[in-house]
Amino acid sequence: MLSFLKRMFGRDEPESAAIGRRGEREAEKLLKKKGYQILARNFRSGRDEIDLICLQGKAVIFVEVRTRKVGALVSGYDSINQRKREALKRVCRNFFGKMKPKPITLRFDVVEVEHEEGVVTQTRHFEDVPLFSKSANRGV
């Protein structure tokens, strides 16, 4: 992909994309330390994408990673607006529809990564963020 961007635009990818990828790697490291198994990275369904799909015990966890500058006006957690929530629901439903056997529990988490000039300063993990209906959390 990087070589494609260089050929297409004659330069490397934008700095913000590199910082976003760095944030995703930091989130992945944090989740692995907590015992999560990574099932998929950057899973796409049409235009929609979810950053990480993990397994913890019998629970499948969909994880959105939000990377922000220290002191940003809107936190990563709060930056997930209704339009993004709907896109996340679509991509998660698509992935869930392909799973066999179906998991017992589904969950949505957010990992917020703060950086200063591209250097990660803090990572926060928010578990079980409301995205799905309560019946979906029971595997219904």
Side-chain angles (χ1 to χ4, degrees), residues 46-66:
R47 296 179 316 184
D48 304 325
E49 179 189 39
I50 185 79
D51 296 317
L52 296 167
I53 302 173
C54 305
L55 185 65
Q56 183 187 42
K58 294 183 179 182
V60 171
I61 300 123
F62 298 96
V63 181
E64 177 68 6
V65 180
R66 305 303 267 196

Side-chain angles (χ1 to χ4, degrees), residues 64-119:
E64 177 68 6
V65 180
R66 305 303 267 196
T67 305
R68 294 284 182 270
K69 289 182 182 180
V70 171
L73 293 177
V74 178
S75 72
Y77 181 95
D78 292 324
S79 71
I80 303 173
N81 60 24
Q82 190 59 38
R83 189 169 130 200
K84 181 63 175 179
R85 285 181 183 278
E86 292 304 318
L88 289 167
K89 285 180 192 177
R90 285 191 301 268
V91 72
C92 293
R93 283 188 193 120
N94 182 282
F95 186 87
F96 178 75
K98 295 177 181 182
M99 292 186 76
K100 292 191 177 37
K102 300 294 185 206
I104 292 172
T105 303
L106 295 178
R107 195 173 85 210
F108 179 71
D109 289 4
V110 174
V111 175
E112 188 178 82
V113 180
E114 283 188 349
H115 74 93
E116 184 86 45
E117 301 296 323
V119 175

Side-chain angles (χ1 to χ4, degrees), residues 25-53:
R25 285 193 303 272
E26 285 295 319
E28 189 173 331
K29 282 195 279 189
L30 173 72
L31 295 172
K32 283 181 176 179
K33 282 182 187 175
K34 290 184 168 191
Y36 290 47
Q37 177 187 350
I38 308 301
L39 299 177
R41 292 171 188 83
N42 304 110
F43 177 79
R44 295 188 76 79
S45 175
R47 296 179 316 184
D48 304 325
E49 179 189 39
I50 185 79
D51 296 317
L52 296 167
I53 302 173

